[in-house]
Amino acid sequence: MIIPILAVVAILTYLAWIRIEPLAWRIPLGVISGTVFVALVMLLLVNFDRHYGMKKVTRSETQQIYSAVGDKLPIGILVTKELGTKADNYVLVYANKAEDKATPHFVPDTKHMVQAVKKSATYREADVPKATVKTTTTRWEWRNEVFKFLLGFGGEGGTIAKQSSVVTIPKSSWLAVTESQAKRLTKLQGNQDATQQQALQQAVAEQVIAYREANPAATPAQLAKVEQKVTTETTLAVVKKMLAEN
């Protein structure tokens, strides 16, 4: 709305200084209209430069994520690709739902670099029960309806000031790998023979038997939980060793 108002004030300023003959009317009307015009221009400029009339509003959203390899392994896999050097900014590959195919997330939009540079994503390991992504978004919002009425002609309300996403994976059951490691892991999985798979199953069975002997009163549900835990830990150790050796 400020643009039409500016146009009207500019016309009034012109009329005040050029068309009005008596000085008693010309000077005060010209000064008033000219001052209003300058004030409106300054208001417009500081809005463009410093988002005057707006405030930052921050909101966070957390959702569970799923392994990049689905249920092919008893552990979760997060595929990472760092953007630049020492930026701690990544493209991360995971699935949004258990039944979904894994896709890359946080890929910079090269067609809109101004917005892309305001966004970042990273990951961390922690003692948590499930993998999640927390996205914190800070947007510019109008302070009140007056500023929105005057300055809200360019759709600035709701624009992103900053957005950061943090993927948190359980360090006891997930593994973060690079793109090259993910390809090697797929290849190594395909090369595993029956003997290696049997050895893994035997190692898990031995630990479950040892637990049952130490806890004769353990229920089937407890034994199943222990088996799942041992399978995850053993697989995680084996995968780390495989990647380290190859």
Side-chain angles (χ1 to χ4, degrees), residues 5-18 20 29-30 33-34:
I5 294 175
L6 270 173
V8 172
V9 173
I11 293 172
L12 291 177
T13 302
Y14 170 80
L15 293 176
W17 286 108
I18 304 300
I20 296 179
L29 290 176
S33 59

Side-chain angles (χ1 to χ4, degrees), residues 157-169:
T159 56
I160 292 177
K162 181 181 179 182
Q163 185 178 77
S164 62
S165 299
V166 179
V167 170
T168 303
I169 59 175

Side-chain angles (χ1 to χ4, degrees), residues 17-29:
W17 286 108
I18 304 300
R19 296 297 183 181
I20 296 179
E21 296 272 345
L23 288 176
W25 287 99
R26 181 191 304 175
I27 293 176
L29 290 176

Side-chain angles (χ1 to χ4, degrees), residues 62-67 128-133 167-170 173-174:
T62 301
Q63 66 179 53
Q64 186 174 356
I65 63 171
Y66 299 86
S67 175
V128 292
K130 58 185 180 181
T132 59
V133 55
V167 170
T168 303
I169 59 175
S173 58
W174 274 62

Side-chain angles (χ1 to χ4, degrees), residues 92-135:
L92 301 171
V93 181
Y94 57 83
N96 293 319
K97 296 181 180 179
E99 65 275 12
D100 287 353
K101 183 179 179 181
T103 56
H105 296 73
F106 318 116
V107 180
D109 185 355
T110 55
K111 294 182 179 179
H112 302 89
M113 288 305 297
V114 174
Q115 290 297 314
V117 297
K118 297 178 182 179
K119 300 179 180 181
S120 64
T122 188
Y123 71 95
R124 66 187 184 97
E125 298 178 346
D127 291 318
V128 292
K130 58 185 180 181
T132 59
V133 55
K134 180 179 180 180
T135 299

